[in-house]
Amino acid sequence: MTAKQWTVTLYLLLIAMTLGAVLTLGIFVTATLFHSDSYLSGVMLDHYNEGILMAEIFRRFSYFIYFIAAVVFAFEGNEYKHGRRDNYAMVSGFVVIITALMFSGVYTPKILEMQALGAEATQSEAFEALHMGSEIDFKILAVALGVLFIRRMRLMFVQK
């Protein structure tokens, strides 16, 4: 394999890993954590404390998301620079970068900030709107990662 093929393969692996992580966090971790009473015996977590745990998981995941945003920026920027432009890949890459930065740089810190104010702050309409925005952003990130992966995979195997 050439250096370009290794680079694309590693890029696809990172995109697939990120998509898997986003889906795992969104589907399995949140569903399990926010229904902890079904799995724990003798230990009861209230919704606020479940949210604290989930926010900490997302805070830690944010570091990886920042890394992926940088990788997508570097790879897609390099493709653009070398004239290997693909509209679907560029748009989905841009959406990945924007949603990743929004989730890690805006939503997660603001949610942590509101949680630090106490349980009452997390029951406000402002917190609900912020949380809903973060959920929508995370779903858009998942779709954009899927589109980017499929498009780059297709471009890897289509001979021009």
Side-chain angles (χ1 to χ4, degrees), residues 64-83:
F64 181 71
I65 289 292
Y66 279 130
F67 170 72
I68 290 302
V71 167
V72 170
F73 180 80
F75 185 89
E76 297 300 334
N78 187 55
E79 291 296 293
Y80 184 83
K81 177 183 168 189
H82 288 95

Side-chain angles (χ1 to χ4, degrees), residues 43-83:
V43 178
M44 294 299 291
L45 294 175
D46 61 354
H47 194 69
Y48 174 73
N49 285 312
E50 292 168 340
I52 294 289
L53 290 173
M54 194 68 231
E56 181 59 22
I57 292 169
F58 282 128
R59 185 190 66 78
R60 292 177 185 205
F61 184 62
S62 289
Y63 297 117
F64 181 71
I65 289 292
Y66 279 130
F67 170 72
I68 290 302
V71 167
V72 170
F73 180 80
F75 185 89
E76 297 300 334
N78 187 55
E79 291 296 293
Y80 184 83
K81 177 183 168 189
H82 288 95

